[in-house]
């Protein structure tokens, strides 16, 4: 259990009440919790899973000491029929499941883990080779950490992106976003879209709508924490077409096939 507050006396009060009801040991300041390491400095907090990665590499038992600079090759298109089926997919499933939890502090592997997790039901030798690439990448970047500065703006800033028709098996697009609170990365996701987009603008707009829903929830959450956000949240996208449609949904001929995402994004604006 983690107890946190800006009032040390109230923390002591809560601990005393818990001791009255349960057997409890105070382990002191937060250092390690469920595989997540936390280190505190005068500038802020660092969160990592270095020991978790070491244990994962030990379980993987890689036969070499190679490292790779990127977790996945550029523009790779994996399909269910690539390679020969693994005789025992248990190892593949175990490693991918571990990577899913590791992505809690490693947003840089969010995309390849999303791709590899699609094949856990019937992995092949090709899928397994790409999985080993991710592990070798982690070996070379094991010390990377997320930093949360003590002094930071409490304003949200967000980025959205999409890959159009990137899945060769069903031609659905991937949506991705990340959200910063000041200088702290607090939310990110890579997710396959539920419908096939007929244009890159549509794919980008669906990603923007996914991010808009996340931002709406985060603003409510911050309000519950007593953080007053009076300025608009900046949502950044590299798609001029999606930005244009989000600003002006009157372009009916361009947006009638998209559905409600354009109007949902515009309504939140």
């Amino acid at each position: 259990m983690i107890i946190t507050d800006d009032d040390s006396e109230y923390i002591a009060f809560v601990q005393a009440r818990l001791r009255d009801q349960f057997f409890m040991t105070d382990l002191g300041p937060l250092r390690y919790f469920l595989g997540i390491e936390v280190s505190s400095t005068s500038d802020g907090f660092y969160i990592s899973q270095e020991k978790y990665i070491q244990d994962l590499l030990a379980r993987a038992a890689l036969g070499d000491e190679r490292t790779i600079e990127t977790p996945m090759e550029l523009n790779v298109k994996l399909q269910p029929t690539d390679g020969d089926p693994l005789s025992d997919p248990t190892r593949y499933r175990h490693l991918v499941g571990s990577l899913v939890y590791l992505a809690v502090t490693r947003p840089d592997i969010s995309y390849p883990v999303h791709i590899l997790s699609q094949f856990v039901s019937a992995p092949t030798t090709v899928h397994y080779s790409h999985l080993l690439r991710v592990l070798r990448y982690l070996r070379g970047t094991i010390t990377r950490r997320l930093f949360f500065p003590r002094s930071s703006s409490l304003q949200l800033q967000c980025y959205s992106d999409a890959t159009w028709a990137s899945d060769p098996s069903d031609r659905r697009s991937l949506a991705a976003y990340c959200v910063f609170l000041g200088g702290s990365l607090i939310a990110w996701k890579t997710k396959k879209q539920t419908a096939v987009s007929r244009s890159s603008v549509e794919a980008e707009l669906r990603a923007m709508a996914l991010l808009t829903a996340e931002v709406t929830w985060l603003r409510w959450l911050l309000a519950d924490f007593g953080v007053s956000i009076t300025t608009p949240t900046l949502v950044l996208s590299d798609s001029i077409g999606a930005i244009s449609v989000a600003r002006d949904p009157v372009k009916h001929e361009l947006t009638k096939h998209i559905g409600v995402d354009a109007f949902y994004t515009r309504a939140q604006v």
Side-chain angles (χ1 to χ4, degrees), residues 119-220:
F119 307 107
V120 291
S121 60
T124 68
T125 53
V126 172
H127 305 149
Y128 187 70
S129 66
H130 284 276
L131 173 60
L132 296 181
R133 181 187 178 96
V134 176
L135 295 177
R136 292 189 174 98
Y137 167 76
L138 290 172
R139 175 190 282 160
T141 59
I142 192 172
T143 58
R144 288 190 180 177
R145 303 178 291 176
L146 287 180
F147 177 60
F148 297 89
R150 292 182 184 273
S151 58
S152 179
S153 166
L154 294 179
Q155 298 299 319
L156 294 171
Q157 183 165 296
C158 321
Y159 301 84
S160 73
D161 203 357
T163 60
W164 178 47
S166 56
D167 194 319
S169 60
D170 56 17
R171 286 304 174 186
R172 285 193 283 171
S173 307
L174 289 182
Y177 66 75
C178 61
V179 182
F180 287 84
L181 180 63
S184 303
L185 180 62
I186 61 171
W188 59 89
K189 176 175 283 190
T190 301
K191 181 179 178 63
K192 182 184 286 190
Q193 297 181 359
T194 57
V196 177
S197 297
R198 294 173 58 190
S199 66
S200 60
V201 170
E202 180 179 353
E204 295 278 1
L205 191 58
R206 293 188 189 280
M208 194 181 297
L210 181 67
L211 173 58
T212 302
E214 179 74 7
V215 170
T216 302
W217 179 80
L218 285 172
R219 288 175 67 98
W220 289 341

Side-chain angles (χ1 to χ4, degrees), residues 3 11 16 41 50 58-60 65 67 98 120 127 138 157 163-164 171 178 193 221 260:
I3 304 175
I11 291 179
T41 67
E50 184 173 341
R59 293 197 304 270
E65 296 297 326
T67 61
S98 299
V120 291
H127 305 149
L138 290 172
Q157 183 165 296
T163 60
W164 178 47
R171 286 304 174 186
C178 61
Q193 297 181 359
L221 181 63
V260 299

